[in-house]
Amino acid sequence: MSQTSALRVRFAPSPTGYLHVGGARTALFNYLLARQTGGTFILRIEDTDTARNVAGAEQKIMDDLRWLGLQWDEGIGVGGPHEPYFQSQRLDLYNSKIDQLLQSGHAYYAFDTPEELEAMRAQAEARKQAFKYPRPSRLPDENDARKAREEGRPVIVRFKVPDQDITVHDEVMGDVTVAASELDDFVIRKADGMPVYHLANVVDDAAMGVNLVMRGQEFLSQTPRHIALQRALGFATPRYAHLPLIMDMKGRKLSKRDGDVEVHSFRVAGYLPEALLNFIALLGWSPGGDREKMTKQEMIELFSLDRIGRTNAKFDREKLLAFNTDAAGSANEDRLAEAFDDYLAISDSPIGKANPTPETRRELLRINRGFRTFRDIDQKSGFMFVPDDAIVYEEAAVKKVLEKGGFDMLASLLPVLESHEPWTTEGLEKLLTGICESQSVGMGKVAQPIRVAVSGGTVSPAIYDTLVLLGKDRTLRRIRRALALRK
Ligand code: GLU
């Protein structure tokens, strides 16, 4: 790559499901570097492994990338000079390259059935050897392939790996050399005619002018094969940067076992994309010093490859929650309202289902200030949005609060509240503090029975705010319903 050519990077997911946080990090780092250098960020879908494809997955991936604010410049959905950006629509290109490799003697046909391959593998295993495909001394040609097709045998194309060690000059991991003896003649076109990932990936990176490949470390062991293919096809080798693995807090590979790992799950759980993005940025990279909190713009300015570490990154959920709490606390009102609307629209929030007015939604954000995620708002305020007779009274709350004087308090409060006007925060505060004073009891004794009556449990936002948002009629109905529980 010449020093002057603009950076072209890509995110190339396979459409197998929602976007994983590891994939989001790959997308983010590529995006940051493209934005920082005025380069181009490409989104390409690697869907040649048809058995693994999940219908609609690319829509989900695009949706999650957009939610995170990682808009690509070229690729599916936006087009560009190298369309199409779905590999399944580029088979002619791959076949022409496979033909080229066959003609130049860099690839050859093979006709083994899966059972035959399995038997060879088992034999190698019995000899305690790693299986390596035995390259025939005479390589099958077109005639052999025709005959095999007529006989109904599988016709596969294998790459003839060169007899030389291959070194990856990785910009994060350093030089990584794989000995020639460790490489075997891998398949580049399967019996169903589809190219394998290695071939399609390398051909597209060259065709699309990708000059830096940044991806997860799990792909590093594949890179020597990619370099061998590039050399055989006469392609330049791009720069490589493999990102450290992401582990859970116990040092195991991050997995669903210990919680959400998909971007979509965090969205549904009520996280802000800016907080998640900031957290993801720190998985293997840091801007230096103690700096952690960054906006996307700041990340674009601060990002650099040489500050990506080689050691495994740790996915600390507590830290993410703390990031989110801070981000929610410092976001401006409009931004928060917009993010809350997104949450209500895509989650199964009882609040979202009730379709409250914009004013009510803003009021919820105000009275729940200090929340960690939007889901906290559901937990603390969801009861306001269900029918009065759907409130379920928690046994513990009934025992601890209502049966310990709460019923009496509610009975005496009911007529007072019935005649109370105006139904405002100030009005209710004056009324309830007055009752506390005249009965010489603390606010808990008054507020807690009301809270249980209206919510079924013992948590809600401040009681006056709660009652105002609920409205007078619904408050009174719920108190009467709670009183009917008295034995
Ligand atoms: N399609 C690969 C994946 O599933 C991408 C590998 C690469 O980035 O080169 O993530």
Side-chain angles (χ1 to χ4, degrees):
M1 174 190 154
S2 85
Q3 289 304 311
T4 50
S5 59
L7 190 73
R8 289 181 61 82
V9 289
R10 82 316 191 259
F11 178 49
S14 299
T16 53
Y18 280 108
L19 179 65
H20 186 276
V21 290
R25 180 192 58 176
T26 298
L28 171 64
F29 286 9
N30 279 291
Y31 170 92
L32 293 177
L33 219 48
R35 287 287 78 82
Q36 184 183 72
T37 62
T40 304
F41 175 48
I42 304 165
L43 177 64
R44 175 175 83 218
I45 296 293
E46 304 211 321
D47 57 348
T48 60
D49 190 352
T50 45
R52 290 182 65 225
N53 291 347
V54 172
E58 67 273 1
Q59 287 303 329
K60 291 179 172 153
I61 293 170
M62 287 198 287
D63 209 33
D64 290 340
L65 287 172
R66 289 199 173 109
W67 178 70
L68 285 172
L70 303 179
Q71 182 58 54
W72 52 102
D73 310 304
E74 236 182 84
I76 60 166
V78 300
H82 302 287
E83 281 184 299
Y85 289 90
F86 282 96
Q87 289 192 325
S88 58
Q89 295 169 16
R90 301 168 64 81
L91 300 182
D92 287 349
L93 173 64
Y94 310 133
N95 281 326
S96 74
K97 297 298 171 189
I98 292 170
D99 286 344
Q100 185 188 326
L101 290 171
L102 283 164
Q103 276 153 24
S104 62
H106 286 101
Y108 61 91
Y109 290 106
F111 314 115
D112 313 277
T113 63
E115 296 75 27
E116 286 163 345
L117 284 168
E118 201 33 61
M120 287 188 237
R121 251 184 224 113
Q123 265 180 19
E125 206 170 299
R127 289 197 302 267
K128 299 209 182 318
Q129 283 170 349
F131 172 68
K132 238 179 126 171
Y133 184 76
R135 184 187 302 167
S137 45
R138 186 187 74 81
L139 298 182
D141 58 17
E142 285 299 334
N143 278 330
D144 300 310
R146 199 171 313 120
K147 243 177 64 199
R149 269 187 210 104
E150 280 163 17
E151 288 167 9
R153 289 187 71 83
V155 177
I156 293 157
V157 179
R158 286 183 179 267
F159 182 65
K160 202 174 137 198
V161 291
D163 186 22
Q164 63 192 181
D165 301 352
I166 294 180
T167 299
V168 185
H169 301 293
D170 192 86
E171 299 195 15
V172 174
M173 300 293 161
D175 280 3
V176 179
T177 300
V178 171
S181 59
E182 281 175 43
L183 293 169
D184 82 339
D185 290 351
F186 58 91
V187 175
I188 53 175
R189 186 167 64 204
K190 294 184 288 184
D192 65 1
M194 291 302 257
V196 298
Y197 150 72
H198 306 294
L199 187 281
N201 186 272
V202 160
V203 168
D204 278 346
D205 281 343
M208 296 176 183
V210 169
N211 44 26
L212 169 65
V213 170
M214 196 171 357
R215 59 186 174 192
Q217 198 187 307
E218 58 274 24
F219 295 101
L220 179 58
S221 62
Q222 317 281 9
T223 307
R225 293 174 175 189
H226 297 182
I227 292 176
L229 279 170
Q230 286 150 5
R231 290 178 184 161
L233 286 163
F235 297 155
T237 289
R239 296 161 60 202
Y240 282 103
H242 286 89
L243 309 172
L245 298 175
I246 304 174
M247 302 300 197
D248 68 13
M249 295 307 279
K250 292 191 179 127
R252 302 173 301 190
K253 195 165 180 279
L254 185 65
S255 86
K256 267 193 168 152
R257 167 186 58 208
D258 68 338
D260 293 334
V261 291
E262 286 161 351
V263 168
H264 187 74
S265 314
F266 289 103
R267 185 176 177 187
V268 170
Y271 282 79
L272 286 164
E274 48 271 48
L276 184 59
L277 202 68
N278 188 167
F279 173 77
I280 286 174
L282 299 172
L283 296 172
W285 172 76
S286 86
D290 299 335
R291 181 107 189 240
E292 288 204 310
K293 297 289 166 62
M294 288 165 285
T295 63
K296 191 173 78 174
Q297 194 50 44
E298 288 166 336
M299 292 183 226
I300 291 172
E301 283 154 26
L302 294 165
F303 190 75
S304 73
L305 279 180
D306 57 15
R307 292 205 55 88
I308 298 175
R310 289 186 189 183
T311 47
N312 296 339
K314 235 190 279 162
F315 197 83
D316 184 346
R317 293 171 192 278
E318 291 299 318
K319 180 168 164 169
L320 171 57
L321 194 56
F323 268 39
N324 203 73
T325 310
D326 287 357
S330 59
N332 76 48
E333 231 176 84
D334 289 344
R335 169 62 197 133
L336 212 52
E338 176 190 44
F340 189 40
D341 284 354
D342 173 74
Y343 169 74
L344 295 180
I346 63 128
S347 69
D348 61 358
S349 155
I351 300 175
K353 287 200 186 97
N355 202 13
T357 63
E359 294 71 40
T360 299
R361 298 197 295 262
R362 288 205 183 227
E363 188 60 5
L364 280 170
L365 290 169
R366 191 187 65 76
I367 68 178
N368 280 284
R369 240 194 318 251
F371 65 89
R372 298 169 308 167
T373 66
F374 290 133
R375 199 176 267 174
D376 282 358
I377 300 183
D378 278 338
Q379 274 155 8
K380 260 178 118 176
S381 302
F383 67 85
M384 299 181 195
F385 298 88
V386 299
D388 298 326
D389 56 10
I391 295 295
V392 180
Y393 292 96
E394 291 169 15
E395 215 182 295
V398 172
K399 282 214 170 85
K400 213 177 99 199
V401 180
L402 298 187
E403 289 176 0
K404 295 226 169 90
F407 282 126
D408 290 340
M409 180 58 76
L410 287 177
S412 74
L413 281 171
L414 186 59
V416 182
L417 287 169
E418 276 170 345
S419 60
H420 178 74
E421 288 295 345
W423 200 261
T424 58
T425 308
E426 301 74 34
L428 287 166
E429 181 169 5
K430 221 163 134 202
L431 176 77
L432 298 189
T433 43
I435 291 173
C436 289
E437 273 163 31
S438 66
Q439 302 195 10
S440 309
V441 291
M443 182 49 84
K445 284 273 178 264
V446 178
Q448 211 52 356
I450 303 178
R451 183 168 278 126
V452 174
V454 299
S455 75
T458 52
V459 284
S460 82
I463 196 69
Y464 321 114
D465 291 331
T466 300
L467 299 188
V468 170
L469 205 56
L470 196 56
K472 184 170 180 177
D473 289 349
R474 305 187 73 193
T475 300
L476 296 175
R477 264 202 299 275
R478 290 181 185 200
I479 292 177
R480 288 188 203 109
R481 211 175 148 244
L483 280 169
L485 296 174
R486 193 172 200 173
K487 287 181 204 126

PDB file of all heavy atoms in Angstrom, residues 250-278:
ATOM      1  N   LYS A 250     -14.329 -14.478  34.341  1.00  0.00           N
ATOM      2  CA  LYS A 250     -13.615 -15.666  34.834  1.00  0.00           C
ATOM      3  C   LYS A 250     -12.519 -16.092  33.868  1.00  0.00           C
ATOM      4  O   LYS A 250     -11.926 -17.166  34.034  1.00  0.00           O
ATOM      5  CB  LYS A 250     -14.604 -16.814  35.032  1.00  0.00           C
ATOM      6  CG  LYS A 250     -15.567 -16.558  36.171  1.00  0.00           C
ATOM      7  CD  LYS A 250     -16.355 -17.814  36.505  1.00  0.00           C
ATOM      8  CE  LYS A 250     -17.302 -17.557  37.655  1.00  0.00           C
ATOM      9  NZ  LYS A 250     -18.683 -17.940  37.338  1.00  0.00           N
ATOM     10  N   GLY A 251     -12.291 -15.286  32.827  1.00  0.00           N
ATOM     11  CA  GLY A 251     -11.222 -15.607  31.887  1.00  0.00           C
ATOM     12  C   GLY A 251     -11.622 -16.633  30.843  1.00  0.00           C
ATOM     13  O   GLY A 251     -10.783 -17.194  30.154  1.00  0.00           O
ATOM     14  N   ARG A 252     -12.926 -16.880  30.719  1.00  0.00           N
ATOM     15  CA  ARG A 252     -13.386 -17.799  29.675  1.00  0.00           C
ATOM     16  C   ARG A 252     -13.854 -16.967  28.482  1.00  0.00           C
ATOM     17  O   ARG A 252     -14.192 -15.798  28.638  1.00  0.00           O
ATOM     18  CB  ARG A 252     -14.565 -18.635  30.175  1.00  0.00           C
ATOM     19  CG  ARG A 252     -14.247 -19.446  31.414  1.00  0.00           C
ATOM     20  CD  ARG A 252     -15.484 -20.112  31.967  1.00  0.00           C
ATOM     21  NE  ARG A 252     -16.517 -19.117  32.305  1.00  0.00           N
ATOM     22  CZ  ARG A 252     -17.611 -19.394  32.984  1.00  0.00           C
ATOM     23  NH1 ARG A 252     -17.848 -20.623  33.384  1.00  0.00           N
ATOM     24  NH2 ARG A 252     -18.499 -18.453  33.264  1.00  0.00           N
ATOM     25  N   LYS A 253     -13.894 -17.620  27.334  1.00  0.00           N
ATOM     26  CA  LYS A 253     -14.348 -16.928  26.135  1.00  0.00           C
ATOM     27  C   LYS A 253     -15.757 -16.398  26.408  1.00  0.00           C
ATOM     28  O   LYS A 253     -16.599 -17.121  26.951  1.00  0.00           O
ATOM     29  CB  LYS A 253     -14.367 -17.922  24.964  1.00  0.00           C
ATOM     30  CG  LYS A 253     -14.472 -17.238  23.636  1.00  0.00           C
ATOM     31  CD  LYS A 253     -14.116 -18.209  22.510  1.00  0.00           C
ATOM     32  CE  LYS A 253     -14.223 -17.523  21.177  1.00  0.00           C
ATOM     33  NZ  LYS A 253     -15.568 -17.419  20.639  1.00  0.00           N
ATOM     34  N   LEU A 254     -15.980 -15.151  26.080  1.00  0.00           N
ATOM     35  CA  LEU A 254     -17.284 -14.538  26.349  1.00  0.00           C
ATOM     36  C   LEU A 254     -18.386 -15.345  25.665  1.00  0.00           C
ATOM     37  O   LEU A 254     -18.304 -15.639  24.481  1.00  0.00           O
ATOM     38  CB  LEU A 254     -17.285 -13.104  25.809  1.00  0.00           C
ATOM     39  CG  LEU A 254     -18.529 -12.277  26.124  1.00  0.00           C
ATOM     40  CD1 LEU A 254     -18.649 -12.034  27.617  1.00  0.00           C
ATOM     41  CD2 LEU A 254     -18.500 -10.963  25.372  1.00  0.00           C
ATOM     42  N   SER A 255     -19.406 -15.703  26.424  1.00  0.00           N
ATOM     43  CA  SER A 255     -20.509 -16.439  25.803  1.00  0.00           C
ATOM     44  C   SER A 255     -21.812 -16.082  26.504  1.00  0.00           C
ATOM     45  O   SER A 255     -21.817 -15.439  27.552  1.00  0.00           O
ATOM     46  CB  SER A 255     -20.263 -17.943  25.885  1.00  0.00           C
ATOM     47  OG  SER A 255     -20.743 -18.430  27.116  1.00  0.00           O
ATOM     48  N   LYS A 256     -22.889 -16.541  25.912  1.00  0.00           N
ATOM     49  CA  LYS A 256     -24.233 -16.269  26.421  1.00  0.00           C
ATOM     50  C   LYS A 256     -24.440 -16.774  27.834  1.00  0.00           C
ATOM     51  O   LYS A 256     -25.312 -16.279  28.542  1.00  0.00           O
ATOM     52  CB  LYS A 256     -25.254 -16.968  25.519  1.00  0.00           C
ATOM     53  CG  LYS A 256     -25.759 -16.062  24.435  1.00  0.00           C
ATOM     54  CD  LYS A 256     -26.966 -16.678  23.782  1.00  0.00           C
ATOM     55  CE  LYS A 256     -27.622 -15.627  22.923  1.00  0.00           C
ATOM     56  NZ  LYS A 256     -28.343 -16.119  21.808  1.00  0.00           N
ATOM     57  N   ARG A 257     -23.625 -17.789  28.179  1.00  0.00           N
ATOM     58  CA  ARG A 257     -23.728 -18.426  29.483  1.00  0.00           C
ATOM     59  C   ARG A 257     -23.797 -17.414  30.633  1.00  0.00           C
ATOM     60  O   ARG A 257     -24.527 -17.594  31.574  1.00  0.00           O
ATOM     61  CB  ARG A 257     -22.497 -19.320  29.582  1.00  0.00           C
ATOM     62  CG  ARG A 257     -22.101 -19.922  30.860  1.00  0.00           C
ATOM     63  CD  ARG A 257     -20.769 -20.626  30.655  1.00  0.00           C
ATOM     64  NE  ARG A 257     -19.749 -19.704  30.166  1.00  0.00           N
ATOM     65  CZ  ARG A 257     -18.713 -20.047  29.425  1.00  0.00           C
ATOM     66  NH1 ARG A 257     -18.544 -21.289  29.064  1.00  0.00           N
ATOM     67  NH2 ARG A 257     -17.834 -19.151  29.032  1.00  0.00           N
ATOM     68  N   ASP A 258     -23.021 -16.327  30.522  1.00  0.00           N
ATOM     69  CA  ASP A 258     -23.046 -15.404  31.667  1.00  0.00           C
ATOM     70  C   ASP A 258     -23.715 -14.071  31.355  1.00  0.00           C
ATOM     71  O   ASP A 258     -23.394 -13.057  31.937  1.00  0.00           O
ATOM     72  CB  ASP A 258     -21.649 -15.232  32.260  1.00  0.00           C
ATOM     73  CG  ASP A 258     -20.717 -14.506  31.332  1.00  0.00           C
ATOM     74  OD1 ASP A 258     -20.974 -14.500  30.125  1.00  0.00           O
ATOM     75  OD2 ASP A 258     -19.742 -13.934  31.803  1.00  0.00           O
ATOM     76  N   GLY A 259     -24.640 -14.091  30.424  1.00  0.00           N
ATOM     77  CA  GLY A 259     -25.417 -12.875  30.179  1.00  0.00           C
ATOM     78  C   GLY A 259     -25.477 -12.502  28.718  1.00  0.00           C
ATOM     79  O   GLY A 259     -25.047 -13.262  27.857  1.00  0.00           O
ATOM     80  N   ASP A 260     -26.022 -11.302  28.479  1.00  0.00           N
ATOM     81  CA  ASP A 260     -26.198 -10.850  27.097  1.00  0.00           C
ATOM     82  C   ASP A 260     -24.859 -10.683  26.386  1.00  0.00           C
ATOM     83  O   ASP A 260     -23.890 -10.194  26.972  1.00  0.00           O
ATOM     84  CB  ASP A 260     -26.906  -9.488  27.092  1.00  0.00           C
ATOM     85  CG  ASP A 260     -28.339  -9.610  27.594  1.00  0.00           C
ATOM     86  OD1 ASP A 260     -28.914 -10.704  27.462  1.00  0.00           O
ATOM     87  OD2 ASP A 260     -28.854  -8.603  28.108  1.00  0.00           O
ATOM     88  N   VAL A 261     -24.818 -11.078  25.122  1.00  0.00           N
ATOM     89  CA  VAL A 261     -23.618 -10.860  24.309  1.00  0.00           C
ATOM     90  C   VAL A 261     -23.971 -10.217  22.967  1.00  0.00           C
ATOM     91  O   VAL A 261     -23.093  -9.879  22.193  1.00  0.00           O
ATOM     92  CB  VAL A 261     -22.821 -12.162  24.034  1.00  0.00           C
ATOM     93  CG1 VAL A 261     -22.174 -12.676  25.292  1.00  0.00           C
ATOM     94  CG2 VAL A 261     -23.700 -13.232  23.409  1.00  0.00           C
ATOM     95  N   GLU A 262     -25.265 -10.065  22.720  1.00  0.00           N
ATOM     96  CA  GLU A 262     -25.668  -9.460  21.456  1.00  0.00           C
ATOM     97  C   GLU A 262     -26.032  -8.003  21.677  1.00  0.00           C
ATOM     98  O   GLU A 262     -26.664  -7.661  22.688  1.00  0.00           O
ATOM     99  CB  GLU A 262     -26.880 -10.204  20.890  1.00  0.00           C
ATOM    100  CG  GLU A 262     -26.515 -11.556  20.325  1.00  0.00           C
ATOM    101  CD  GLU A 262     -27.705 -12.485  20.195  1.00  0.00           C
ATOM    102  OE1 GLU A 262     -28.791 -12.159  20.703  1.00  0.00           O
ATOM    103  OE2 GLU A 262     -27.526 -13.543  19.575  1.00  0.00           O
ATOM    104  N   VAL A 263     -25.644  -7.181  20.727  1.00  0.00           N
ATOM    105  CA  VAL A 263     -25.952  -5.756  20.821  1.00  0.00           C
ATOM    106  C   VAL A 263     -27.458  -5.566  21.010  1.00  0.00           C
ATOM    107  O   VAL A 263     -27.903  -4.764  21.838  1.00  0.00           O
ATOM    108  CB  VAL A 263     -25.456  -5.031  19.542  1.00  0.00           C
ATOM    109  CG1 VAL A 263     -26.006  -3.627  19.451  1.00  0.00           C
ATOM    110  CG2 VAL A 263     -23.926  -5.031  19.524  1.00  0.00           C
ATOM    111  N   HIS A 264     -28.232  -6.342  20.263  1.00  0.00           N
ATOM    112  CA  HIS A 264     -29.685  -6.201  20.358  1.00  0.00           C
ATOM    113  C   HIS A 264     -30.201  -6.457  21.784  1.00  0.00           C
ATOM    114  O   HIS A 264     -31.137  -5.790  22.240  1.00  0.00           O
ATOM    115  CB  HIS A 264     -30.355  -7.171  19.380  1.00  0.00           C
ATOM    116  CG  HIS A 264     -31.833  -6.987  19.296  1.00  0.00           C
ATOM    117  ND1 HIS A 264     -32.399  -5.912  18.628  1.00  0.00           N
ATOM    118  CD2 HIS A 264     -32.863  -7.692  19.814  1.00  0.00           C
ATOM    119  CE1 HIS A 264     -33.707  -5.987  18.739  1.00  0.00           C
ATOM    120  NE2 HIS A 264     -34.018  -7.052  19.450  1.00  0.00           N
ATOM    121  N   SER A 265     -29.590  -7.412  22.487  1.00  0.00           N
ATOM    122  CA  SER A 265     -30.038  -7.694  23.853  1.00  0.00           C
ATOM    123  C   SER A 265     -29.817  -6.492  24.768  1.00  0.00           C
ATOM    124  O   SER A 265     -30.621  -6.225  25.655  1.00  0.00           O
ATOM    125  CB  SER A 265     -29.283  -8.879  24.449  1.00  0.00           C
ATOM    126  OG  SER A 265     -29.226  -9.928  23.552  1.00  0.00           O
ATOM    127  N   PHE A 266     -28.709  -5.793  24.546  1.00  0.00           N
ATOM    128  CA  PHE A 266     -28.452  -4.615  25.381  1.00  0.00           C
ATOM    129  C   PHE A 266     -29.428  -3.494  25.034  1.00  0.00           C
ATOM    130  O   PHE A 266     -29.840  -2.715  25.889  1.00  0.00           O
ATOM    131  CB  PHE A 266     -26.998  -4.145  25.226  1.00  0.00           C
ATOM    132  CG  PHE A 266     -26.024  -5.090  25.868  1.00  0.00           C
ATOM    133  CD1 PHE A 266     -25.274  -5.964  25.115  1.00  0.00           C
ATOM    134  CD2 PHE A 266     -25.891  -5.119  27.254  1.00  0.00           C
ATOM    135  CE1 PHE A 266     -24.400  -6.867  25.708  1.00  0.00           C
ATOM    136  CE2 PHE A 266     -25.015  -6.014  27.866  1.00  0.00           C
ATOM    137  CZ  PHE A 266     -24.271  -6.886  27.091  1.00  0.00           C
ATOM    138  N   ARG A 267     -29.787  -3.444  23.777  1.00  0.00           N
ATOM    139  CA  ARG A 267     -30.775  -2.436  23.356  1.00  0.00           C
ATOM    140  C   ARG A 267     -32.123  -2.722  24.027  1.00  0.00           C
ATOM    141  O   ARG A 267     -32.755  -1.831  24.584  1.00  0.00           O
ATOM    142  CB  ARG A 267     -30.901  -2.510  21.830  1.00  0.00           C
ATOM    143  CG  ARG A 267     -31.790  -1.451  21.234  1.00  0.00           C
ATOM    144  CD  ARG A 267     -31.745  -1.571  19.715  1.00  0.00           C
ATOM    145  NE  ARG A 267     -32.629  -0.635  19.068  1.00  0.00           N
ATOM    146  CZ  ARG A 267     -32.863  -0.633  17.756  1.00  0.00           C
ATOM    147  NH1 ARG A 267     -32.260  -1.516  16.975  1.00  0.00           N
ATOM    148  NH2 ARG A 267     -33.678   0.249  17.225  1.00  0.00           N
ATOM    149  N   VAL A 268     -32.515  -3.989  24.009  1.00  0.00           N
ATOM    150  CA  VAL A 268     -33.787  -4.386  24.614  1.00  0.00           C
ATOM    151  C   VAL A 268     -33.731  -4.254  26.139  1.00  0.00           C
ATOM    152  O   VAL A 268     -34.743  -4.037  26.788  1.00  0.00           O
ATOM    153  CB  VAL A 268     -34.128  -5.845  24.190  1.00  0.00           C
ATOM    154  CG1 VAL A 268     -35.292  -6.387  24.976  1.00  0.00           C
ATOM    155  CG2 VAL A 268     -34.412  -5.902  22.696  1.00  0.00           C
ATOM    156  N   ALA A 269     -32.529  -4.377  26.698  1.00  0.00           N
ATOM    157  CA  ALA A 269     -32.384  -4.267  28.150  1.00  0.00           C
ATOM    158  C   ALA A 269     -32.319  -2.807  28.596  1.00  0.00           C
ATOM    159  O   ALA A 269     -32.169  -2.529  29.785  1.00  0.00           O
ATOM    160  CB  ALA A 269     -31.145  -5.017  28.614  1.00  0.00           C
ATOM    161  N   GLY A 270     -32.410  -1.874  27.659  1.00  0.00           N
ATOM    162  CA  GLY A 270     -32.499  -0.468  28.040  1.00  0.00           C
ATOM    163  C   GLY A 270     -31.183   0.255  28.194  1.00  0.00           C
ATOM    164  O   GLY A 270     -31.081   1.197  28.976  1.00  0.00           O
ATOM    165  N   TYR A 271     -30.170  -0.175  27.434  1.00  0.00           N
ATOM    166  CA  TYR A 271     -28.886   0.548  27.449  1.00  0.00           C
ATOM    167  C   TYR A 271     -28.889   1.641  26.389  1.00  0.00           C
ATOM    168  O   TYR A 271     -29.595   1.541  25.378  1.00  0.00           O
ATOM    169  CB  TYR A 271     -27.723  -0.416  27.172  1.00  0.00           C
ATOM    170  CG  TYR A 271     -27.359  -1.250  28.387  1.00  0.00           C
ATOM    171  CD1 TYR A 271     -28.117  -2.364  28.736  1.00  0.00           C
ATOM    172  CD2 TYR A 271     -26.287  -0.898  29.203  1.00  0.00           C
ATOM    173  CE1 TYR A 271     -27.810  -3.115  29.864  1.00  0.00           C
ATOM    174  CE2 TYR A 271     -25.965  -1.650  30.324  1.00  0.00           C
ATOM    175  CZ  TYR A 271     -26.733  -2.750  30.655  1.00  0.00           C
ATOM    176  OH  TYR A 271     -26.419  -3.488  31.770  1.00  0.00           O
ATOM    177  N   LEU A 272     -28.084   2.655  26.637  1.00  0.00           N
ATOM    178  CA  LEU A 272     -27.911   3.723  25.650  1.00  0.00           C
ATOM    179  C   LEU A 272     -26.800   3.316  24.688  1.00  0.00           C
ATOM    180  O   LEU A 272     -25.746   2.857  25.124  1.00  0.00           O
ATOM    181  CB  LEU A 272     -27.476   5.017  26.353  1.00  0.00           C
ATOM    182  CG  LEU A 272     -28.534   5.750  27.152  1.00  0.00           C
ATOM    183  CD1 LEU A 272     -27.868   6.750  28.096  1.00  0.00           C
ATOM    184  CD2 LEU A 272     -29.508   6.454  26.222  1.00  0.00           C
ATOM    185  N   PRO A 273     -27.015   3.508  23.406  1.00  0.00           N
ATOM    186  CA  PRO A 273     -25.977   3.091  22.454  1.00  0.00           C
ATOM    187  C   PRO A 273     -24.642   3.783  22.695  1.00  0.00           C
ATOM    188  O   PRO A 273     -23.586   3.172  22.541  1.00  0.00           O
ATOM    189  CB  PRO A 273     -26.565   3.450  21.088  1.00  0.00           C
ATOM    190  CG  PRO A 273     -27.693   4.400  21.361  1.00  0.00           C
ATOM    191  CD  PRO A 273     -28.187   4.078  22.734  1.00  0.00           C
ATOM    192  N   GLU A 274     -24.678   5.054  23.118  1.00  0.00           N
ATOM    193  CA  GLU A 274     -23.410   5.760  23.316  1.00  0.00           C
ATOM    194  C   GLU A 274     -22.611   5.163  24.475  1.00  0.00           C
ATOM    195  O   GLU A 274     -21.377   5.123  24.432  1.00  0.00           O
ATOM    196  CB  GLU A 274     -23.605   7.271  23.494  1.00  0.00           C
ATOM    197  CG  GLU A 274     -24.670   7.722  24.466  1.00  0.00           C
ATOM    198  CD  GLU A 274     -26.043   7.889  23.815  1.00  0.00           C
ATOM    199  OE1 GLU A 274     -26.468   6.962  23.084  1.00  0.00           O
ATOM    200  OE2 GLU A 274     -26.696   8.917  24.065  1.00  0.00           O
ATOM    201  N   ALA A 275     -23.326   4.665  25.503  1.00  0.00           N
ATOM    202  CA  ALA A 275     -22.624   4.053  26.636  1.00  0.00           C
ATOM    203  C   ALA A 275     -22.043   2.696  26.222  1.00  0.00           C
ATOM    204  O   ALA A 275     -20.901   2.365  26.541  1.00  0.00           O
ATOM    205  CB  ALA A 275     -23.571   3.873  27.812  1.00  0.00           C
ATOM    206  N   LEU A 276     -22.832   1.927  25.487  1.00  0.00           N
ATOM    207  CA  LEU A 276     -22.360   0.619  25.033  1.00  0.00           C
ATOM    208  C   LEU A 276     -21.164   0.779  24.090  1.00  0.00           C
ATOM    209  O   LEU A 276     -20.170   0.059  24.192  1.00  0.00           O
ATOM    210  CB  LEU A 276     -23.507  -0.125  24.329  1.00  0.00           C
ATOM    211  CG  LEU A 276     -23.208  -1.553  23.862  1.00  0.00           C
ATOM    212  CD1 LEU A 276     -22.796  -2.461  25.014  1.00  0.00           C
ATOM    213  CD2 LEU A 276     -24.424  -2.158  23.147  1.00  0.00           C
ATOM    214  N   LEU A 277     -21.258   1.764  23.224  1.00  0.00           N
ATOM    215  CA  LEU A 277     -20.177   2.001  22.262  1.00  0.00           C
ATOM    216  C   LEU A 277     -18.877   2.381  22.979  1.00  0.00           C
ATOM    217  O   LEU A 277     -17.799   1.884  22.665  1.00  0.00           O
ATOM    218  CB  LEU A 277     -20.601   3.121  21.303  1.00  0.00           C
ATOM    219  CG  LEU A 277     -19.892   3.160  19.965  1.00  0.00           C
ATOM    220  CD1 LEU A 277     -20.283   1.949  19.135  1.00  0.00           C
ATOM    221  CD2 LEU A 277     -20.250   4.434  19.201  1.00  0.00           C
ATOM    222  N   ASN A 278     -19.000   3.257  23.958  1.00  0.00           N
ATOM    223  CA  ASN A 278     -17.841   3.684  24.737  1.00  0.00           C
ATOM    224  C   ASN A 278     -17.211   2.476  25.457  1.00  0.00           C
ATOM    225  O   ASN A 278     -15.998   2.269  25.429  1.00  0.00           O
ATOM    226  CB  ASN A 278     -18.302   4.740  25.750  1.00  0.00           C
ATOM    227  CG  ASN A 278     -17.159   5.424  26.499  1.00  0.00           C
ATOM    228  OD1 ASN A 278     -17.382   6.436  27.155  1.00  0.00           O
ATOM    229  ND2 ASN A 278     -15.943   4.908  26.428  1.00  0.00           N
TER     230      ASN A 278
END
